[in-house]
Structure formats: C-alpha cells, structure tokens
Amino acid sequence: IIMGTIMTMSSSNWLMAWIGLELNMLAILPIISKPKTTRASEATIKYFLTQAIASAMMLLSSTTNAWQTGSWDILELKNKFSTTIMTLSLMMKMGAAPIHFWLPEVLQGTTLQTALLITTWQKLAPISLMYMISNNIQPALLMSAGILSMIVGGLGGINQTQLRKTMAYSSINNLGWTIMIMALSPNLAVMNIFIYMIMTTPIFLMMTSTSTKTLQNLTTTWTTSTATTLSIALLMLSTSGLPPFTGFLPKMLALNELITQKLTTLATLAIMTSLVSLLFYLRITYLIMVLTSPMTT
C-alpha cells in the first residue's frame, strides 16, 4: 500500500501513476476482507468495482490525451475531455460527490483500523495527482463538485447512528472543501486535507481503543474512559470547523480566498453547508458531554 502511494506521488508519467494506484488498490483488498463476514466481503467487492471503474476512466483519459498531444507527462494534460474524465476518476477514487456512494458502505463493512486507512492514506495519491493537474482543470467543475460534496456530507451525516458512516460523510464534507479550493489555491487545498487527516487519525484510534462503533457505545464510554471520550468530542468539533479549534483555520483561509476572488455567493453557500454538517457534529458532542457526563446526572 505504501509503495503504491509513493510510486503514484513521485511519478511524472501517467502509466507509472496508474500502476502505483493499481498496486495500492490490490494491496488493500485483503485488508478490507480480513474479517470473515458477509459485510466485509460485500465492502471488498464494492471497493474493488468502484476503484476498477475509476482506474479504467483514468486510463481512458491519459490514453486520449497521449493520442492528442503525443505525451504521457502528467503536467501535459491539455485535452479538455481528458481533463474532465481524469478529474471525475480521481474524485471517484477519493469518494467525493457525486460518486461517493461506495464510501459509507465500505467503511461500515470494515474494521475501524481499515476505515482509518481508507479515509486518510488512500486519499494521498489521488489528491497529489489532482494537485499536479489543478492548473488544467476547469474551475467550475471543481467548485460544483466541492459544493455538492459539502451538501451530501452535511445532509448524509445527520441521521447516522453508526460512527463509521458518520466519519465517512465527514470525509466527503471535508473533501468538498479541499476540491472547491483546489481551483483557486492548490496549496491551501493540500493544507486542508492534511489538517483533516491529522484530526481524523486520533478519532479513529480512540474509537478503536474503546471499541466504539455506534453513538450508543460512545455515550457509555464516559464512565470507563472520560479523557478519551472528551477528546473525541473536542476533535469532532475541530473537524466541523468550529472556532477556536484547528479545523477552523483552513476553512477561514478558504473563505478568505473565495471572497478575495469575488466569489461571495460561493463563500456564502459554503458557510451554509458547513452549518448543516455542524449540526451532526454538535449532536454527537451533545450526546457525549451533556447527556452522559456525571455533572448532568
């Protein structure tokens, strides 16, 4: 898995990048299917089919571009059709809307450690490729996909009681911010996704250590591990982008960039969608800190 990601991130040629992604995808399949359950097998097949379709789209895009321009260089993706198909395939690999349907289902069928791997490490290679071709992608495509991901991530997480599905929709929501700002400031997009990964990793690790998989589990862990439960609640608020937490910084910079570029309507829409996602983060925090703390009982 590590070798595949590094190969993709360090290559300048579409074929080598594709080989790296394939290696990465084939290596994670046994890890997803490790629990001998029907749910895990279903998750593995869903992951494999989605990634295989995305890889086929990626090959189509790079081949069409090479046919038109005579170059396999990643930075030479000049053909408009190729750029659009490539962007969609990378979004499919990351699990961004409108091709996000596989992510919550796959995370729900795997262990917490594998879910952590899929939501963090598996996004590095597609994000790095998107970063490299960001100058050639139509800004309207990225911004539309970004806003759609933010809406889907916000609305999808509201009714969830399963924490892995909640984290999947949280991932889609944060990817929306990353993709939207990729059109204007690729460096800011990379900073945003890295801060998200830094915040998500301890959430998953603490959920693993306390064997927490549902909201109900989370409300009962207060008595056994108060510090861990409190940390999860604060990290959830940070992921939502609530000030003064770390997660607020990339969102503030993204909004600042949008307003600087005279995209005030888009900035307003982004704020409104982040309020929707804040709703389910606050719900989790409320359940942990208000309903279960000894002070209220």
Side-chain angles (χ1 to χ4, degrees):
I1 290 171
I2 293 166
M3 189 179 163
T5 304
I6 291 169
M7 192 187 286
T8 301
M9 290 174 76
S10 58
S11 62
S12 59
N13 181 290
W14 278 121
L15 277 177
M16 285 307 289
W18 178 78
I19 289 167
L21 283 169
E22 287 299 292
L23 182 65
N24 176 282
M25 184 255 286
L26 290 170
I28 202 172
L29 292 177
I31 295 175
I32 299 172
S33 63
K34 190 170 176 274
K36 297 291 178 280
T37 59
T38 319
R39 202 72 194 263
S41 307
E42 188 186 321
T44 311
I45 292 164
K46 281 177 180 172
Y47 186 84
F48 171 71
L49 289 174
T50 316
Q51 299 295 317
I53 293 164
S55 294
M57 285 168 69
M58 196 176 161
L59 261 189
L60 169 70
S61 167
S62 52
T63 310
T64 309
N65 186 66
W67 181 38
Q68 294 285 329
T69 62
S71 170
W72 284 95
D73 199 297
I74 288 176
L75 300 174
E76 293 297 314
L77 196 72
K78 298 284 194 287
N79 186 288
K80 196 172 274 188
F81 169 78
S82 297
T83 311
T84 308
I85 296 293
M86 184 61 74
T87 309
L88 288 171
S89 78
L90 292 174
M91 278 159 43
M92 197 172 184
K93 279 198 169 290
M94 288 186 281
I99 326 164
H100 65 281
F101 303 103
W102 62 273
L103 189 63
E105 295 300 319
V106 169
L107 289 202
Q108 189 55 35
T110 60
T111 60
L112 286 164
Q113 294 98 320
T114 314
L116 168 64
L117 196 63
I118 293 168
T119 48
T120 54
W121 183 266
Q122 292 300 92
K123 286 183 173 46
L124 290 177
I127 282 281
S128 62
L129 287 175
M130 193 176 268
Y131 177 83
M132 283 190 258
I133 64 166
S134 58
N135 290 334
N136 301 325
I137 307 171
Q138 294 152 298
L141 176 66
L142 286 176
M143 287 176 186
S144 307
I147 286 289
L148 188 61
S149 294
M150 285 152 73
I151 294 167
V152 166
L155 294 175
I158 289 173
N159 276 339
Q160 296 302 332
T161 53
Q162 295 288 337
L163 285 176
R164 279 168 295 181
K165 278 195 175 180
T166 307
M167 293 308 291
Y169 284 109
S170 163
S171 169
I172 294 164
N173 180 49
N174 276 279
L175 263 178
W177 281 91
T178 305
I179 291 168
M180 181 186 68
I181 209 64
M182 185 74 80
L184 304 173
S185 174
N187 292 336
L188 186 54
V190 170
M191 186 188 102
N192 182 62
I193 200 75
F194 270 107
I195 287 177
Y196 165 71
M197 286 176 186
I198 290 163
M199 291 184 299
T200 306
T201 306
I203 292 177
F204 271 111
L205 292 176
M206 285 188 277
M207 276 160 55
T208 309
S209 69
T210 53
S211 302
T212 307
K213 290 179 182 177
T214 63
L215 272 179
Q216 194 179 0
N217 294 155
L218 204 58
T219 56
T220 55
T221 51
W222 182 277
T223 48
T224 52
S225 45
T226 313
T228 305
T229 318
L230 189 63
S231 301
I232 291 174
L234 293 175
L235 281 162
M236 285 280 188
L237 287 178
S238 182
T239 313
S240 71
L242 195 73
F245 299 104
T246 318
F248 172 63
L249 178 68
K251 289 187 178 179
M252 185 188 71
L253 292 172
L255 291 170
N256 181 49
E257 186 67 36
L258 287 169
I259 293 163
T260 308
Q261 300 284 351
K262 304 282 190 291
L263 295 164
T264 321
T265 314
L266 198 66
T268 310
L269 199 57
I271 292 167
M272 299 304 278
T273 54
S274 72
L275 284 175
V276 177
S277 64
L278 182 64
L279 186 68
F280 73 81
Y281 288 115
L282 280 174
R283 180 165 156 260
I284 294 169
T285 315
Y286 175 79
L287 281 171
I288 298 169
M289 299 180 78
V290 181
L291 294 184
T292 59
S293 66
M295 287 176 283
T296 55
T297 51

